[in-house]
């Protein structure tokens, strides 16, 4: 329950009810200051009531200001004063001196009520999983193993979500995912590495929307993942600080501050840190035409220093109108060394040559995001509102790499290369959303959104020839990408309490222009699409509910899908883009049943997706150089089941189980190769939580991902375990944590590709990560443990 908000509203009601009882002729003025006993910090918005001695009923009241002061008057003659604040022991004052019609109560000290605070935590705790009509909510503050990790690692523990070692995010086995922050695209979701600047301590919850309504952008064929960043709105000053350290290097400091008054809500989050992500790799390229085999064993690092700051303010014009101005700046300073050993064997397995390839890469990535938002709440209904926003995002990368190949034995492979990347992206989003309830049962939503994206990637490769670096024009070009998307939507909803339905229609016009500047190769497209959706729910009883939904989705190729000029870190395994790619379209259906049985909740669902113009990476090989390039290849039909449950057999033990299985059928061809095949895959997560005495919590999370087939390869299965331990200290305001990710270093990703002219094997491993953390809430704030279930 939202106790503090209730106290605040009650106080305002008291003021309203008793304003008319004031009498200036015989009034007695009562004033003083309310202060927290331990910290001696003032308590804003404490309730001060004047109570009749005979009836024990309040006859007047007030609340303290930002500094804890109060000043009220009464015409009563037989009364006492009662001071109360949520989480503190109330104080009754019956003896005081009245001089010149004034009673100065001085400083009133309130002590924390430990028992009451404990009750608040228990009662305010939200479930780890919450199921709503069109989304599932995952509350982050409940998982100890998220200590000190980034948003990418947090996502790997979210039901239905999988994250590969390379950082590719999948939802129900599909990578066509739209990742949002606070309901909007962000510079921090443009690539998986950028999610590292968001730590778990900053996240309040993650929303998984497998079948979005027409209100949401149509982008993302498998659905939407929305990362909700914490924003404290309690009255007064609130704050928390977090310290983390770990092995390999993973050190960070986070500070969250908030000050809320009647007119303003000021908030900021500051984070800085350093981390290292080592990766071991092994690749085998087998050229079946020339009968040669290339072995490659490598080690690479991504060492980063990162800084992030968020500043914002809400200005409450009045009770119905609020303006929000916020900005975020993030900066990453990257160092990416790698060391690879190559061995080339002939058809008789004789060593032809051996050489080492060393890389030194430095990059700086400044990122900006800023937003101006206006919200109007209409008085006729709490859900009647208008929201207008303008958002700007900017991301740039300045990267330089030096590659040095040194021959160890055999044929001469000595070479020196260097690359330069100058990348810039600017995106502007303008949005209007309007919600209008016509009655308690009928409502409507409508809105418009316009997104403009302007991207440029200047990539150059140079080879050292006779002591001078010369540009390799076959690998060098400037790629420009411009995309504008205009969307308009309308939805209607009927909800009788037992049965509800929400149909909607979204229309989007897309214009895309790509240009390779040096070769003057242009590809311009524009298309107009309709995206219908419908959701319905039926409540069979208080324990059983059914939900069903349909939506049409699109995946538009991104810059890295389109840009043919990429990285040459491993110049025998190269990834390229394809500027001729067409968008994917998906029809998504699902039916879900929800059972609440005592302390156990069960969720069982069936889903089906049909995708056309499927984008897959196709590998080709020549002289042991494997090139992967995305192509539109046919259709994909996927059927699946999903099961989630939470079981608490005893008070100190609970289990969260997530299981996902899907079976797919692929039909397609590329050039002369047919890629028709059928396959399946499944994954499961089990989270066990233990509550021990002395406020100690322990949890273990097991993950299993089955093997599965792609159009050319088979990806092996993997299983790994994460552990977490938490201890509350300092009366619950402090929390110490420890987490171990991939305890047995078993999270290994392997794939095997077998084709008529080549075979390939790939293996990657990250290893074990250990993190220690400390969080402390000050002022009226809580330690970061409560990020998903904050007290108010």
């Amino acid at each position: 329950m939202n106790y503090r908000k209730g106290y605040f509203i009650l106080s305002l009601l008291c003021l309203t009810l008793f304003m008319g009882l004031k009498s200036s002729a015989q009034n007695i003025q009562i004033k003083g200051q309310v202060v927290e006993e331990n910290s001696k910090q003032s308590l804003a918005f404490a309730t001060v009531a004047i109570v009749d001695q005979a009836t024990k009923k309040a006859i007047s009241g007030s609340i303290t200001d930002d500094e804890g002061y109060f000043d009220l008057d009464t015409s009563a003659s037989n009364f006492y004063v009662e001071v109360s604040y949520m989480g503190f022991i109330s104080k009754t004052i019956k003896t005081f001196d009245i001089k010149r019609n004034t009673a100065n109560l001085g400083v009133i000290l309130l002590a924390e009520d430990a028992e009451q605070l404990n009750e608040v935590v228990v009662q305010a705790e939200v479930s780890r999983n919450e199921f709503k009509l069109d989304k599932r909510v995952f509350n982050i503050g409940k998982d100890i193993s998220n200590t000190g990790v980034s948003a990418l690692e947090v996502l790997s523990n979210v039901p239905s979500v999988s994250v590969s070692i390379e950082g590719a995010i999948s939802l129900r086995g599909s990578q066509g995912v739209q990742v949002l922050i606070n309901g909007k695209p962000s510079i921090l979701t443009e690539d998986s590495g950028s999610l590292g600047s968001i730590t778990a301590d900053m996240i309040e919850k993650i929303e998984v929307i497998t079948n979005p309504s027409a209100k949401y952008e149509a982008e993302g064929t498998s659905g939407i993942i929305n990362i909700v960043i914490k924003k404290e709105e309690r009255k007064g000053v609130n704050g928390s600080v977090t310290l983390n350290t770990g092995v390999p290097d993973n050190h960070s400091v986070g500070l969250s501050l908030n000050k809320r008054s009647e007119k303003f809500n000021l908030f900021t989050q500051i984070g800085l840190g350093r981390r290292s992500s080592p990766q071991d790799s092994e690749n085998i390229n087998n050229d079946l035409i020339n009968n040669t085999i290339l072995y490659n064993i490598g080690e690479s690092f991504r060492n980063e220093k990162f800084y992030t700051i968020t500043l914002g303010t809400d200005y409450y014009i009045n009770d119905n109108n609020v303006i929000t101005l916020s900005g975020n700046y993030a900066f990453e300073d990257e160092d990416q060394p790698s060391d690879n050993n190559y061995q080339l064997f002939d058809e008789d397995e004789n060593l032809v040559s051996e050489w080492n390839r060393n890389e030194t890469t430095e990059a700086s990535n400044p990122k900006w995001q800023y937003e101006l938002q206006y919200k109007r709440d209409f008085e006729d209904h709490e859900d009647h509102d208008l929201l207008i926003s303008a958002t700007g995002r900017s991301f740039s990368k300045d990267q330089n790499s030096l590659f040095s190949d040194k021959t160890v034995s055999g044929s001469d492979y000595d070479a020196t290369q260097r690359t330069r990347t100058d990348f810039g992206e600017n995106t502007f989003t303008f949005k209007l959303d309007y919600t209008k309830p016509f009655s308690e049962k009928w409502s409507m939503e409508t809105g418009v959104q316009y997104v403009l994206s302007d991207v440029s990637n200047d990539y150059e490769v140079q080879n050292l020839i006779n002591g001078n670096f010369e540009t390799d024009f076959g690998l060098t070009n400037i790629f420009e990408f411009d995309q504008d998307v205009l969307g308009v939507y309308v939805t209607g909803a009927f909800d009788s309490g037992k049965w509800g339905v929400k149909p909607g229609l979204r229309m989007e016009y897309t214009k895309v222009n790509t240009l390779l500047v040096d070769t003057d190769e242009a590809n311009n497209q524009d298309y107009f699409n309709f995206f219908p959706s419908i959701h319905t729910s039926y409540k069979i009883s208080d324990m059983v509910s059914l939900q069903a939904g349909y939506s049409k989705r699109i995946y538009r190729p991104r810059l890295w899908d389109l840009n043919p000029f990429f990285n040459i870190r491993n110049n025998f395994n190269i990834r390229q883009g394809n500027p001729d790619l067409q968008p994917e379209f998906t029809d998504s259906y699902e039916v879900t049943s929800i059972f609440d049985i005592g302390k156990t909740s069960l969720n069982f669902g069936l889903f089906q997706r049909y995708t056309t113009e499927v984008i897959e990476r196709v590998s080709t090989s020549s002289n042991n150089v494997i090139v992967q390039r995305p192509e539109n290849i046919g259709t994909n039909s996927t059927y699946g089941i999903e099961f989630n449950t939470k079981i608490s057999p005893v008070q100190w033990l609970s289990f969260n189980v997530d299981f996902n299985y899907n079976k797919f059928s692929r039909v397609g061809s590329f050039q002369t190769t047919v890629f028709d095949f059928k396959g399946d895959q499944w994954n499961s997560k089990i989270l066990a939580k233990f509550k021990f005495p002395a406020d100690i919590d322990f949890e273990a999370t097991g993950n299993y991902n089955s093997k599965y087939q792609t159009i050319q390869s088979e990806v092996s299965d993997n299983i790994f375990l994460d552990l977490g331990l938490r201890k509350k200290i300092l009366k619950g305001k402090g929390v110490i944590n420890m987490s171990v990710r991939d305890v047995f270093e078993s999270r290994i990703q392997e794939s095997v590709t077998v084709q008529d002219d080549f075979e390939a094997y790939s293996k990657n491993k990250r290893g074990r990560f250990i993190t220690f953390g400390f969080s402390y809430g000050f002022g009226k704030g809580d330690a970061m443990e409560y990020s998903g279930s904050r007290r108010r």
Side-chain angles (χ1 to χ4, degrees):
M1 295 179 64
N2 201 333
Y3 289 102
R4 289 187 178 175
K5 183 177 179 182
Y7 269 69
F8 176 59
I9 295 173
L10 180 61
S11 302
L12 291 181
L13 289 174
C14 291
L15 279 175
T16 305
L17 289 172
F18 298 112
M19 282 291 289
L21 300 180
K22 293 185 177 180
S23 173
S24 60
Q26 301 177 4
N27 279 0
I28 297 174
Q29 183 184 22
I30 302 170
K31 59 183 181 179
Q33 183 187 21
V34 182
V35 172
E36 185 177 348
E37 185 175 80
N38 291 332
S39 66
K40 300 299 187 289
Q41 188 172 23
S42 59
L43 288 175
F45 306 102
T47 301
V48 181
I50 298 175
V51 184
D52 187 274
Q53 285 272 20
T55 65
K56 309 300 181 184
K57 293 182 179 180
I59 55 177
S60 183
S62 179
I63 56 175
T64 58
D65 62 18
D66 287 348
E67 301 301 324
Y69 289 100
F70 63 90
D71 189 343
L72 69 163
D73 52 30
T74 180
S75 59
S77 58
N78 187 23
F79 65 91
Y80 62 87
V81 178
E82 187 172 86
V83 182
S84 60
Y85 191 84
M86 186 59 202
F88 290 79
I89 299 174
S90 299
K91 180 165 287 189
T92 299
I93 305 172
K94 296 185 176 181
T95 303
F96 43 82
D97 295 328
I98 300 177
K99 297 179 179 179
R100 298 179 181 178
N101 289 333
T102 300
N104 190 345
L105 305 184
V107 176
I108 302 170
L109 300 177
L110 293 188
E112 283 190 316
D113 187 341
E115 291 185 4
Q116 188 179 12
L117 284 175
N118 288 335
E119 288 180 3
V120 172
V121 173
V122 173
Q123 293 175 358
E125 260 188 14
V126 291
S127 169
R128 180 175 182 264
N129 291 319
E130 296 179 88
F131 298 96
K132 299 188 177 181
L133 179 62
D134 58 353
K135 61 187 173 185
R136 188 152 26 117
V137 181
F138 178 83
N139 295 293
I140 296 306
K142 307 300 295 175
D143 286 339
I144 311 169
S145 58
N146 288 326
T147 299
V149 302
S150 71
L152 203 60
E153 282 80 22
V154 171
L155 286 173
S156 68
N157 281 336
V158 173
S160 306
V161 179
S162 298
V163 181
S164 71
I165 289 178
E166 287 77 17
I169 301 171
S170 301
L171 180 58
R172 287 178 171 172
S174 172
Q175 292 187 13
V177 185
Q178 170 83 324
V179 181
L180 308 177
I181 294 181
N182 290 337
K184 305 176 185 67
S186 170
I187 52 172
L188 301 178
T189 62
E190 297 298 329
D191 67 273
S192 59
S194 298
L195 287 172
S197 60
I198 303 176
T199 61
D201 306 318
M202 300 167 61
I203 302 173
E204 179 176 344
K205 59 186 176 182
I206 291 177
E207 298 175 340
V208 177
I209 310 170
T210 54
N211 221 337
S213 71
K215 180 177 181 178
Y216 295 93
E217 289 183 69
E219 182 69 40
T221 51
S222 65
I224 294 173
I225 297 174
N226 182 32
I227 302 173
V228 180
I229 303 298
K230 292 191 305 179
K231 178 183 173 184
E232 181 61 76
E233 293 189 352
R234 287 177 297 176
K235 299 284 186 174
V237 178
N238 305 280
S240 53
V241 63
T242 303
L243 305 173
N244 295 297
T245 187
V247 179
D249 282 350
N250 183 6
H251 315 292
S252 64
V253 178
L255 176 67
S256 177
L257 287 173
N258 168 264
K259 179 176 174 60
R260 173 74 186 271
S261 63
E262 288 298 319
K263 284 292 185 180
F264 286 95
N265 180 42
L266 305 174
F267 54 91
T268 183
Q269 287 184 330
I270 302 172
L272 58 95
R274 185 183 69 191
R275 60 174 170 262
S276 177
S277 299
Q279 179 172 320
D280 297 327
S281 63
E282 179 181 349
N283 294 280
I284 303 175
N285 297 354
N286 188 356
D287 187 339
L288 301 179
I289 303 299
N290 300 311
N291 293 318
T292 57
I293 300 178
L294 179 69
Y295 290 90
N296 163 222
I297 296 178
E299 182 182 32
S300 61
F301 294 85
R302 180 169 179 160
N303 304 318
E304 293 178 310
K305 297 177 182 177
F306 63 92
Y307 315 87
T308 180
I309 181 171
T310 298
L311 291 172
T313 181
D314 300 312
Y315 172 60
Y316 297 87
I317 302 172
N318 52 42
D319 290 342
N320 299 323
N321 296 272
V322 59
I323 295 176
T324 300
L325 176 63
S326 63
N328 173 268
Y329 173 73
F331 182 84
E332 298 168 355
D333 188 6
E334 296 181 351
D335 173 26
Q336 299 182 38
S338 68
D339 186 5
N340 286 271
N341 176 263
Y342 292 87
Q343 292 180 321
L344 180 63
F345 293 84
D346 62 18
E347 57 183 336
D348 296 322
E349 298 186 359
N350 296 315
L351 180 63
V352 175
S353 184
E354 180 179 359
W355 69 98
N356 291 324
R357 180 176 177 84
N358 296 311
E359 171 194 3
T360 302
T361 292
E362 294 181 350
S364 58
N365 310 322
K367 306 171 185 180
W368 294 88
Q369 182 159 322
Y370 33 89
E371 179 179 16
L372 178 62
Q373 177 178 288
Y374 165 73
K375 183 179 182 182
R376 173 175 174 78
D377 292 318
F378 296 90
E379 295 183 352
D380 58 335
H381 196 283
E382 61 179 356
D383 294 326
H384 186 189
D385 55 56
L386 171 70
L387 186 67
I388 303 173
S389 65
T391 306
R393 312 196 307 270
S394 176
F395 170 43
S396 60
K397 176 185 282 287
D398 182 7
Q399 178 172 300
N400 293 279
S401 301
L402 179 65
F403 301 91
S404 177
D405 291 9
K406 299 293 184 182
T407 302
V408 176
S409 64
S411 303
D412 184 9
Y413 272 86
D414 284 359
T416 301
Q417 291 178 303
R418 68 182 185 187
T419 65
R420 172 188 57 82
T421 301
D422 185 7
F423 174 83
E425 175 183 10
N426 293 285
T427 303
F428 302 94
T429 303
F430 305 92
K431 192 173 183 181
L432 181 150
D433 295 296
Y434 176 69
T435 304
K436 169 64 176 176
F438 297 102
S439 67
E440 292 301 316
K441 295 182 179 180
W442 296 93
S443 63
M444 179 197 73
E445 295 175 312
T446 187
V448 60
Q449 176 177 279
Y450 186 37
V451 182
L452 302 91
S453 300
D454 178 12
V455 187
S456 176
N457 187 67
D458 184 353
Y459 183 66
E460 181 181 20
V461 177
Q462 294 183 327
N463 298 309
L464 184 63
I465 302 176
N466 298 324
N468 297 311
F469 280 101
E470 298 181 6
T471 299
D472 186 337
F473 292 101
L475 300 175
T476 300
N477 214 319
I478 300 174
F479 183 73
E480 294 185 349
F481 169 75
D482 297 313
Q483 178 176 277
D484 297 345
V485 180
L486 175 64
V488 180
Y489 77 89
V490 61
T491 70
F494 169 80
D495 188 356
S496 67
K498 187 170 185 177
W499 176 72
V501 62
K502 185 178 182 180
L505 179 65
R506 187 178 187 93
M507 298 162 283
E508 290 189 349
Y509 170 75
T510 306
K511 183 178 180 182
V512 181
N513 298 320
T514 65
L515 174 66
L516 289 167
V517 176
D518 293 351
T519 55
D520 198 31
E521 298 175 58
N523 187 348
N524 302 324
Q525 303 179 38
D526 65 287
Y527 41 90
F528 184 85
N529 306 105
F530 289 93
F531 300 95
S533 70
I534 184 168
H535 295 81
T536 185
S537 64
Y538 182 73
K539 187 175 182 180
I540 299 175
S541 67
D542 290 339
M543 295 188 298
V544 182
S545 299
L546 296 176
Q547 297 176 350
Y550 162 79
S551 66
K552 189 177 183 67
R553 312 291 297 163
I554 185 174
Y555 174 83
R556 299 180 183 88
R558 294 171 170 82
L559 171 74
W560 308 116
D561 298 317
L562 302 170
N563 185 8
F565 297 91
F566 215 79
N567 198 307
I568 58 170
R569 164 175 279 188
N570 186 332
N571 55 353
F572 284 85
N573 286 279
I574 299 174
R575 288 193 175 189
Q576 292 183 337
N578 178 5
D580 297 321
L581 278 181
Q582 300 296 310
E584 290 183 348
F585 292 92
T586 295
D587 291 290
S588 177
Y589 309 81
E590 67 177 38
V591 178
T592 304
S593 57
I594 300 172
F595 302 87
D596 289 317
I597 307 171
K599 295 183 178 181
T600 301
S601 60
L602 302 174
N603 172 56
F604 180 79
L606 302 173
F607 61 90
Q608 193 264 338
R609 291 192 304 263
Y610 182 77
T611 304
T612 59
E613 298 292 342
V614 176
I615 298 175
E616 291 278 7
R617 288 195 171 272
V618 177
S619 296
T620 58
S621 177
S622 177
N623 295 319
N624 287 308
V625 177
I626 296 177
V627 178
Q628 294 185 44
R629 173 183 161 101
E631 304 287 351
N632 292 107
I633 300 178
T635 64
N636 184 46
S637 181
T638 301
Y639 298 85
I641 61 173
E642 188 173 45
F643 174 77
N644 312 99
T645 185
K646 178 181 179 180
I647 304 172
S648 299
V650 290
Q651 189 173 5
W652 53 269
L653 176 64
S654 66
F655 295 95
N656 286 275
V657 180
D658 176 61
F659 176 81
N660 191 292
Y661 171 84
N662 65 79
K663 188 176 182 65
F664 51 87
S665 175
R666 296 297 313 275
V667 177
S669 62
F670 174 68
Q671 295 178 350
T672 60
T673 304
V674 176
F675 289 114
D676 295 355
F677 70 96
K678 295 181 180 180
D680 62 358
Q681 66 181 114
W682 63 277
N683 59 73
S684 181
K685 299 182 178 74
I686 300 177
L687 169 64
K689 288 194 171 188
F690 304 83
K691 289 186 175 293
F692 296 119
D695 281 333
I696 297 176
D697 296 326
F698 173 77
E699 69 180 33
T701 305
N703 288 264
Y704 176 77
N705 300 305
S706 74
K707 66 179 181 180
Y708 63 93
Q709 186 178 353
T710 68
I711 59 170
Q712 290 180 300
S713 307
E714 183 175 274
V715 180
S716 65
D717 61 346
N718 64 76
I719 185 170
F720 57 97
L721 175 69
D722 299 334
L723 301 178
L725 186 69
R726 175 171 59 206
K727 162 69 176 163
K728 299 178 187 177
I729 59 175
L730 303 175
K731 297 183 178 180
K733 283 187 169 291
V735 177
I736 53 176
N737 304 271
M738 183 188 77
S739 67
V740 184
R741 301 187 69 82
D742 195 3
V743 177
F744 302 107
E745 298 187 77
S746 57
R747 193 181 182 190
I748 300 172
Q749 184 167 306
E750 292 180 292
S751 67
V752 177
T753 303
V754 178
Q755 298 295 298
D756 293 338
D757 56 344
F758 76 97
E759 295 178 354
Y761 169 79
S762 174
K763 177 181 178 181
N764 293 282
K765 184 177 78 170
R766 290 277 187 198
R768 183 189 301 113
F769 288 78
I770 303 174
T771 307
F772 299 90
F774 170 73
S775 301
Y776 180 74
F778 54 89
K780 302 177 188 67
D782 302 311
M784 288 295 188
E785 181 211 356
Y786 301 111
S787 59
S789 55
R790 296 193 305 273
R791 294 173 291 170
R792 286 181 170 84

